[in-house]
Each structure stands twice: as C-alpha cells, then as structure tokens.
C-alpha cells in the first residue's frame, strides 16, 4: 500500500513528506502525536511486504536494531504493521549524510577522517557485541550533525545473531562498492565484513573515491573479490604513510588478513593518530559524544534517599534513679490496666530504635560497602555468587534490597560477585573460523586467532585450540584458535629497476627462481627490469619462476641503407625489407648476368627514415646487336685488293648478314 501525507500509522504517527526511498523501503518524516516529537518512519516496500520470509526477517532484524542503544547508532523507537505493510519508527536526524559531506569536502583531513571512522567503528562494535552485523555500511547510512557527531542508521538488512538463517544462503545483499569479498561471493558475513566496509568508507573519506568501481555492480563485486586496491597515497600523496597502512590492512581479501573486530580496527586508528600527532595511543582521549545523544545508565538515587544517622541527636537517657524506676509500678497499682497499656505504647513508640533507608552499594567493593553500611549502624555479612556481568569482588546487590527501610542494627548481607565462574569450552577443531568464533563467544569466552600455514588443511579451518574442546575454563577467558592459511606461499618481490643479476639474487632470497629473460624497448636504464610476471605482491608457491623483461634503447628514427648492388634481385628485396624499407625495381641491360642488381637509389650508407622507399635497378643481360656490319669489296672478282680508300667515289657497300 502507498502512504500519503497526513496518513496516520499505528494510531500515533502522522506522516509528513517523504525523506527518501530505496530498493526495500521508503522513509517519511512523521509527527509522534503521543510524545509530540518528530520521528522518521521507514515503511517496507510493497514487493517485500507480500513476501512472508522477508517480512519475518524484517521483523526480527527490526527487533535486533531496536535493542541497540549507543550514542553513535540511530535510535529505533517502535515497529509495527499498518494496512498490510510494515514499518519501523526511528530517531529523526535532519543533518546531511556522510556521502554528501564527502562530495563537498573530500579529501577530508586525516584527523577528521580518523575521528569519523572511530565513531562509525564505535557504533559497529556496539552492534557486534549484540551479535548484530550491519552488512550495508556505507556513507549514505551515516548521518552527520553540525558538531561532527555521527550516527549509523539503516540496520534494515542486518544479520542478527541466531536469526541469520532468515537470510538465504548464497544471496548477496548490500551495496557493491562497499561489499566485503565474502559478501560478494554470497558467503557468511562476520564482524570483519563490516570492518572491510568501514575501511572502504575511510578510503573514500581520505581520497574522495571508492577503491573499486565499474559501470555494472557485478563487475564491482568481482573487483572486490580479486583486485588489490590502489594505495591511497598514489591518489593523495599527503596522506600519512602510517594511516595508509591501516587503510590497506582493513581491505584484506580474507577476513583473517584484516581487522576482525571494530575494537581492533579502532586501536589501530588510535595508534596511527598518536603516531601522526606525536603522542601515545594509550593516553589519547576521544572527544565525548554530544550531550543530546548520550544515554546514561540508570542509577538509583543515593543522597536523596539516604537517611543519615542523627549525629547531633542527644544520647539516650541514662537509667533513671531507683526512686523513679519504682514510680511507674506505684501508678500501675492504682491504674493497672490503663497505665500498663500506656507503658507498652511508650515502649513501642517513644523508646524504639531509629530506622534508616538502605543505600544502593552495588558495584562497590566489599570494603567500601561495609564502611558505608556500618556508618548507618547496620551489621554486615557477605555471601558470594557467580555473576558474569559484575566484576569479581564487587557487590552485586544487598539483602534486604536497596531502598528498604530497616532498623539500626539490622544485619545486611552483601551479595558479592565471584566472577563469571567456569564453563565448558566448545570443541571447534575442523570448523571454519567464523563458525568456531560464534560457538566459542556464544559459550561465554573470548577468542584469539593465530594463523599458521598448513598444506593439509583448507584455509580458514581451525587446526587446534587451547584450551581443548570439552575442557572447563573460566567464563570470559580467552580461547586461542590456530587457523590454517593453507599451503605456505611466497610474496613476489618488486624487481623493477634491478639488473638481471640483482633480480636473480632478490628472487633467490624470497625462495623463488628467475625464469625467462627478454628485452623490451624502454626509456628506462638499459639492462634494468621494466616488467615481471608474476607481478609484485602476488602470492605464489615457493620455487615459482618469475619471468622478467630488461630495458633496451628504442630503435633510432633513421637507419642506413645497406648495399645490395651485386646481389640477385630476390636477395636484395629480402635484405631491404628486413631492414625496414619498401622496395621497387626496374631493369636495364648491362654486361652483368640477368637478375643481378646493378644500381640502387638511395645509395648504400645513406641515412634515411625507417620505412623509406629504395629503388633497385636489375640487369636484363647484355644488349642485343641492332646495327648491320658493313664491308667494302672490289668491283670485279679476281682483281687484286683495292688500294686504301681515297676521297674519290667508292663501290657500293655489301651487307653481311
């Protein structure tokens, strides 16, 4: 169903204008008539409202989000159903979202980016402690107030603890530019998935762009899975190197290669800020959140309900002298029943003990609680109970309870925490690290993960644990998991700029070998590496061969024409074309055998542009005779030879064949 301005939802929330719309829901500004305040109402879109599975997930996840109470998380006030659709009522925040801030101001100063990231991580840490994974951390889901206070919103697709089965296996939900690799593959998400998304938000704040983008969401998701991010300092060189290291670590492809919790990520940012500022991370204090959004734990009043002993009251009267002590009995003899009743009333009302209101001494040490109670003239005893919420040695409560009115001298029992007690450690060997972590934390223990290469165990699988499975250990203590990273691999070093000998030595030190060596025209120093395969930073098996290409000077723009005179035409053509020339030819008779080059243009040794034309002249053989041979003979046969020619008339010429 479509809602309009003025519609009343839940008999309480009057809708105003629409604030925004997404693929799953629409958000309206509304007026809460009961509490007279503005709220934001998020209504599930019609296609999803008719899907029972999605409605159930929406209901469960709304309940989980409503249970999150943190200054950096938008408060969820109510949820319900109206006219066949479902809605969530949230705190209304008029400020811009972080995406708008990035568009206006990016790149943000490192100090501002760190502060914003710490606030986002504080919100995520609070959610993770309630076993709620956001799954759609992005700047559009972070609201920014004028004073720089951030609030994370839109837990509409969050995965809430044991209700995670409501999300279909293999489904991909979220925004492609901020998806973790495991989320892009449709695998199970963890707190480390939210940390990855927070790392992308930090990257975007520092550079003004996301590390992975493309026209189609599928292409972006594939980059999230396989492509390394461009280091932020290559975009904004002024980013401190220590901060760049934190950003790149947060974007590890495997959950085990990045920050596994918001607290771990926050500690790294605090250390980075300390290094940038020249202070120490352990003493650096964060600015408190704004007063308007701080939710203080409710504490029962103390001074207003404490009834202090009457320090200035007169001491009780001393025993009366014997004469007065006998007087009541004389009176009683005269007025036996009347004065006996009056005496009893006097004992109960005027001569009784003072009363005090029992103060609240919970969370105090035994010594502090004992001193406070004894100052009220109360007797104190202690009893120990196991409690996983109160630190060992502190008072849980009192018996009688705080606020009770008791007489002075009453015995009050302090119920003291004996700590968490002990529990059975789950056996998680052979499970994937995500499932193992969930089982151990669900049993009341902390988890520490150590990685170890193991060629026989799949990556992300638990090899061993300490304490061992089924052992008893103190609740709240740490269980160490040794997790396989798969077969040991080697990171390929950067060989660019090295000579062939230096590259071979570097590869040997890394446990790799030198593969093929080729050349490549380059402006770099001749003989140095200009490219390599596999590339730098890739992880490969030991002893893998790495191929390199060495720089050679580019070919000159002009070349000399080689000599081809005296070569047969076919050889001359091949020689010139191989040298980069185009060739044409003509023929001419000569005393050289037919087919031999007798001339060339340009001549041999001439500097010409590569690709120029060379004309060769090829011999067609000796020329044929065209003029007849003539001789002169005497007029009559038998006569003696004629005298040498003279200027006089001669006989006719005779042509010989």
């Amino acid at each position: 169903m479509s809602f309009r301005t003025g519609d009343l939802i839940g008999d309480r929330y009057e809708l105003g204008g629409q604030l925004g719309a997404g693929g799953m829901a629409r958000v309206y500004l509304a007026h809460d008539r009961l509490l007279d305040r503005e709220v934001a109402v998020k209504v599930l879109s019609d296609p999803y409202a008719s899907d029972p599975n999605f409605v159930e997930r929406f209901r469960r996840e709304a309940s989980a989000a409503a249970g999150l109470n943190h200054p950096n998380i938008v408060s969820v006030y109510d949820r319900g159903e109206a006219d066949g659709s479902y809605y969530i009522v949230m705190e209304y925040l008029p400020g811009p979202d972080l995406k708008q801030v990035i568009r206006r101001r990016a790149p943000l100063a490192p100090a501002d980016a760190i502060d914003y990231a710490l606030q986002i991580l504080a919100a995520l840490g609070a959610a993770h402690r309630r076993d709620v994974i956001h799954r759609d951390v992005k700047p559009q889901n972070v609201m920014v107030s004028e004073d720089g206070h951030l609030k994370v919103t839109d837990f509409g697709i969050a995965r809430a603890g044991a209700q995670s089965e409501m999300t279909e296996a293999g489904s991909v939900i979220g925004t492609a530019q901020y998806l973790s690799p495991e989320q892009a593959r449709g695998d199970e998400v963890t707190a480390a998935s939210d940390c990855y998304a927070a790392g992308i938000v930090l990257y975007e704040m520092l550079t003004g762009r996301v590390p992975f983008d493309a026209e189609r969401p599928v292409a972006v998701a594939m980059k999230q899975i396989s492509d390394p991010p461009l280091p932020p300092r290559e975009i904004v060189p002024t980013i401190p190197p220590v901060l760049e290291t934190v950003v790149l670590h947060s974007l590890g492809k495997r959950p085990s290669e990045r920050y596994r919790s918001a607290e771990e990520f926050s500690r790294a940012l605090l250390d980075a800020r300390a290094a940038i500022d020249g202070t120490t991370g352990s003493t650096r204090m964060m600015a408190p959140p704004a007063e308007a959004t701080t939710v203080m734990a409710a504490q029962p009043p103390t001074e207003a309900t404490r009834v202090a002993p009457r320090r200035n009251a007169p001491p009780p009267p001393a025993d009366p002298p014997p004469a007065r002590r006998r007087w009541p009995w004389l009176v009683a003899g005269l007025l036996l029943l009347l004065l006996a009743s009056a005496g009893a009333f006097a004992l109960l009302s005027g001569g009784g003990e003072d009363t005090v209101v029992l103060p609240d001494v919970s969370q105090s040490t035994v010594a502090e609680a004992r001193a406070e109670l004894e100052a009220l003239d109360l007797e104190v005893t202690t009893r120990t109970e196991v409690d996983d919420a109160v630190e060992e040695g502190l008072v849980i409560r009192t018996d009688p309870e705080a606020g009770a009115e008791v007489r002075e001298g009453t015995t009050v029992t302090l119920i003291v925490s004996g700590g968490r007690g002990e529990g059975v450690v789950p056996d998680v060997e052979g499970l994937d690290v995500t499932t193992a972590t969930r089982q151990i934390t669900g049993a009341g223990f902390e988890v520490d993960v150590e990685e170890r290469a193991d060629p026989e165990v799949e990556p992300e699988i638990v090899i061993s644990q300490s304490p061992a499975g089924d052992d008893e250990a103190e609740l709240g203590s740490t269980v160490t998991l040794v997790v396989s990273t798969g077969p040991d691999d080697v990171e390929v070093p950067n060989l660019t700029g090295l000579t062939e000998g230096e590259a071979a030595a570097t590869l040997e030190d890394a446990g790799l070998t030198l593969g093929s060596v080729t050349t490549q025209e380059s402006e770099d120093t001749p003989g140095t590496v200009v490219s390599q395969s596999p590339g730098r930073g890739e992880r490969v098996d030991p002893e893998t061969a790495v191929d390199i290409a060495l720089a050679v000077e580019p070919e000159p723009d002009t070349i000399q024409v080689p000599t081809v005179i005296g070569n047969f035409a076919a050889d001359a053509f091949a020689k010139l074309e191989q040298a980069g020339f185009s060739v044409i030819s003509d023929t001419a008779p000569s005393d050289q055998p037919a087919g031999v080059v007798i001339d060339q243009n340009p001549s041999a040794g001439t500097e010409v542009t590569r690709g120029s034309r060379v004309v060769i002249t090829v011999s067609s053989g000796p020329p044929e005779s065209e003029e007849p041979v003539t001789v002169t003979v005497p007029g009559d046969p038998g006569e003696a030879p004629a005298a040498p020619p003279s200027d006089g008339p001669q006989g006719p010429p005779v042509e010989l064949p």
Side-chain angles (χ1 to χ4, degrees), residues 105 187 226 231 240 251 271 427 446 484 504 548 605:
R105 294 175 47 197
D187 295 343
S226 58
L251 300 182
D271 289 342
D427 186 355
E446 301 293 329
S484 172
I548 62 173

Side-chain angles (χ1 to χ4, degrees), residues 162-176:
Q163 288 81 31
S164 60
E165 71 273 8
M166 294 304 300
T167 300
E168 294 84 353
S171 64
V172 178
I173 302 178
T175 305

Side-chain angles (χ1 to χ4, degrees), residues 117-118 121-122 124-125 128-129 191-192 195 246 249-250 255-272 447-451:
L118 286 171
L121 291 168
L124 295 177
H128 296 165
R129 286 190 292 273
C195 290
V246 173
H249 185 72
S250 71
S256 59
E257 294 174 349
R258 58 179 179 264
Y259 303 112
R260 293 184 292 271
S261 69
E263 291 78 10
E264 184 181 358
F265 197 167
S266 297
R267 286 194 298 271
L269 282 175
L270 288 172
D271 289 342
V447 176
D448 181 45
V449 176
E450 296 179 359
E451 295 181 342

Side-chain angles (χ1 to χ4, degrees), residues 420-486:
R420 294 174 177 262
E422 292 190 343
V424 177
V425 179
D427 186 355
V428 297
E429 291 186 13
L431 301 180
D432 66 273
V433 65
T434 301
T435 302
T437 300
R438 185 167 58 247
Q439 289 190 11
I440 290 176
T441 54
F445 300 94
E446 301 293 329
V447 176
D448 181 45
V449 176
E450 296 179 359
E451 295 181 342
R452 179 190 302 168
D454 193 315
E456 298 180 357
V457 180
E458 292 289 329
E460 303 290 315
I461 300 299
V462 177
I463 303 172
S464 63
Q465 66 181 91
S466 178
D470 299 327
D471 283 358
E472 289 192 353
E474 182 182 356
L475 293 172
S477 61
T478 299
V479 177
T480 301
L481 303 181
V482 179
V483 178
S484 172
T485 59

Side-chain angles (χ1 to χ4, degrees), residues 516-559:
S516 64
V517 180
T518 58
T519 59
Q520 178 180 322
E521 290 188 2
S522 173
E523 299 296 333
D524 293 344
T525 305
T528 60
V529 177
V530 291
S531 66
Q532 65 183 85
S533 179
R536 64 169 181 152
E538 293 188 34
R539 302 200 71 86
V540 297
D541 294 334
E543 301 301 322
T544 296
V546 179
D547 301 330
I548 62 173
L550 301 178
V552 294
E553 293 182 353
E555 291 290 334
D557 292 332
T558 61
I559 55 176

Side-chain angles (χ1 to χ4, degrees), residues 86-174:
Y86 299 84
Y87 65 89
I88 300 175
V89 181
M90 304 176 295
E91 175 184 5
Y92 170 60
L93 299 171
D97 60 46
L98 184 56
K99 189 71 172 182
Q100 294 170 313
V101 173
I102 291 174
R103 286 171 179 163
R104 293 198 305 262
R105 294 175 47 197
L108 272 62
D112 292 340
I114 291 174
D115 179 64
Y116 284 172
L118 286 171
Q119 293 188 59
I120 294 171
L121 291 168
L124 295 177
H128 296 165
R129 286 190 292 273
R130 296 293 298 270
D131 202 18
V132 174
I133 309 300
H134 191 288
R135 298 204 303 174
D136 196 20
V137 178
K138 57 185 178 183
Q140 295 91 327
N141 286 339
V142 180
M143 304 302 295
V144 184
S145 66
E146 293 182 356
D147 62 357
H149 187 70
L150 269 56
K151 288 205 172 190
V152 178
T153 184
D154 200 356
F155 283 80
I157 62 171
R159 196 257 311 147
Q163 288 81 31
S164 60
E165 71 273 8
M166 294 304 300
T167 300
E168 294 84 353
S171 64
V172 178
I173 302 178

Side-chain angles (χ1 to χ4, degrees), residues 9 41 142 166 210 216 262 289 366 399 415 460 488 518 524 644 653:
I9 291 183
V41 177
V142 180
M166 294 304 300
V210 292
R216 299 174 60 241
V366 174
D399 183 16
I415 314 300
E460 303 290 315
D488 197 9
T518 58
D524 293 344

